[in-house]
Amino acid sequence: MNRRIDPDGTIVILTGAGISRESGLDTFRCKDGIWSKVDLEDVATPEAFVRNPKMVQDFYNARRAQLVDEKPQPNPGHLALAKLEKNWPGRVLIVTQNIDNLHELAGNENIIHMHGELMKVRCNHCKTLLIWEKGLHIDTACPDCHSTGSLRPHIVWFGEIPLQMEDIYEALEDADLFISIGTSGNVYPAAGFVQAVKQIGDCHSVELNLDPSNGATLFDETIYGPASEVVPEFVDTLLSDIKNQT
Ligand code: BV8
């Protein structure tokens, strides 16, 4: 195993629901996770939105209200990634599957929300993208074009194309280190990133997770434990490694 990363190198970090769990947000596939309470086919597909828009809006309204009312805070896992972005001489990009705002609150600036953002909605009619903190209802009018029934959560549902895929693959091509944190490896294309960096070239890959993911054997290095512990430890090792190199 060679984890000597060029200090000017690019680090791409994929995060999933596990990194936000210790901030009080549910994962999807853990015991008592979101998909044990609601069928994803009923709330996270474009077909569900056509069939029962109210049910889909209510599902995302409740999750948005949790962010606005309970104000979950970044945990030491998120904070460690902000410290990495601030102190790493090269490029650090967070590619998150999460629709929460905890990486922003922690202080990261270079973030791609590949599955969208809970605090944004968009208009299917005029295509405007809006910051949205309230509930969204089937008769809510778009503040820009005033059409009703056209606003939807800015979320990538199953069967839709994730956001900024070109930017993501460009960064993966450049990556010297790929870190996957708190994701079960069930959902593609994110689950395929580890294979992509392997095929592209000389990139060290690491999984930090509570339990081994579906693709665990594909990683060069695996470290298991809660994100609030393993992520800060891993980041501190990386930063002290580059200090020792200079
Ligand atoms: C697409 C909405 C084409 C947001 C979500 C058959 C085979 C292969 C693929 C497919 C197939 N049929 C269909 C597909 C494609 C499909 C797919 O992958 N389906 C799977 C289910 C088979 N994918 C798509 O449709 C995607 N689009 O493929 O388009 C394309 C692509 C590229 C280029 C051109 C065309 C769209 C996917 C969009 C998914 N949207 N939801 C929301 O409501 O939040 S998915 C949902 O799962 C969430 O968004 C979440 O981000 C995502 C991933 O889940 P995880 O984050 O991994 O969470 P999970 O609960 O599973 O795991 C938690 C992990 O945390 C565990 O490992 C656990 O051990 C760990 N953990 C727990 N506690 C801690 C912890 N770790 C550390 N510390 C802790 N304390």
Side-chain angles (χ1 to χ4, degrees):
M1 177 182 70
N2 171 23
R3 196 217 283 160
R4 217 160 218 287
I5 314 296
D6 177 356
D8 293 323
T10 294
I11 303 178
V12 178
I13 302 160
L14 172 69
T15 61
I19 195 170
S20 295
R21 195 181 189 191
E22 290 164 88
S23 296
L25 299 179
D26 284 337
T27 65
F28 295 89
R29 296 170 186 82
C30 294
K31 192 173 168 284
D32 301 328
I34 294 174
W35 298 150
S36 71
K37 295 174 191 139
V38 59
D39 190 337
L40 75 83
E41 301 282 350
D42 288 335
V43 293
T45 64
E47 292 78 11
F49 192 53
V50 170
R51 216 169 37 235
N52 192 344
K54 183 177 179 320
M55 186 174 183
V56 176
Q57 303 281 32
D58 287 349
F59 174 69
Y60 288 101
N61 285 344
R63 291 171 65 197
R64 190 180 304 110
Q66 186 184 13
L67 289 193
V68 173
D69 299 340
E70 294 173 18
K71 298 189 177 24
Q73 292 300 304
N75 65 58
H78 298 100
L79 296 171
L81 297 183
K83 177 175 166 186
L84 183 64
E85 183 178 317
K86 193 162 169 239
N87 293 290
W88 186 256
R91 179 181 183 207
V92 174
L93 172 67
I94 307 251
V95 177
T96 187
Q97 299 169 87
N98 299 342
I99 59 175
D100 64 50
N101 52 3
L102 296 181
H103 287 305
E104 284 84 350
L105 289 178
N108 280 96
E109 291 182 355
N110 203 6
I111 307 166
I112 293 179
H113 278 275
M114 66 179 292
H115 290 168
E117 290 172 77
L118 204 40
M119 304 295 282
K120 290 182 182 167
V121 301
R122 64 176 191 265
C123 177
N124 275 335
H125 188 247
C126 70
K127 309 294 175 211
T128 192
L129 185 64
L130 302 153
I131 305 283
W132 202 267
E133 292 199 349
K134 307 167 281 188
L136 188 61
H137 305 284
I138 44 179
D139 57 354
T140 306
C142 169
D144 275 18
C145 70
H146 308 294
S147 59
T148 50
S150 58
L151 290 176
R152 61 163 278 181
H154 184 52
I155 304 293
V156 176
W157 289 320
F158 286 94
E160 297 185 315
I161 298 177
L163 306 173
Q164 293 183 254
M165 287 310 298
E166 268 185 37
D167 298 329
I168 295 172
Y169 281 115
E170 228 170 71
L172 291 172
E173 270 178 39
D174 271 358
D176 298 282
L177 176 62
F178 172 69
I179 313 172
S180 172
I181 305 173
T183 176
S184 63
N186 274 286
V187 177
Y188 287 83
F193 291 169
V194 61
Q195 223 143 8
V197 293
K198 263 192 170 345
Q199 279 159 10
I200 292 162
D202 191 18
C203 174
H204 184 75
S205 58
V206 185
E207 167 161 279
L208 305 178
N209 209 2
L210 195 59
D211 311 298
S213 70
N214 283 357
T217 55
L218 297 168
F219 288 87
D220 299 317
E221 188 181 354
T222 52
I223 302 172
Y224 297 111
S228 64
E229 292 173 17
V230 293
V231 179
E233 279 165 22
F234 187 79
V235 165
D236 284 346
T237 312
L238 272 180
L239 292 175
S240 73
D241 280 354
I242 56 161
K243 233 191 222 157
N244 295 337
Q245 281 179 54
T246 51

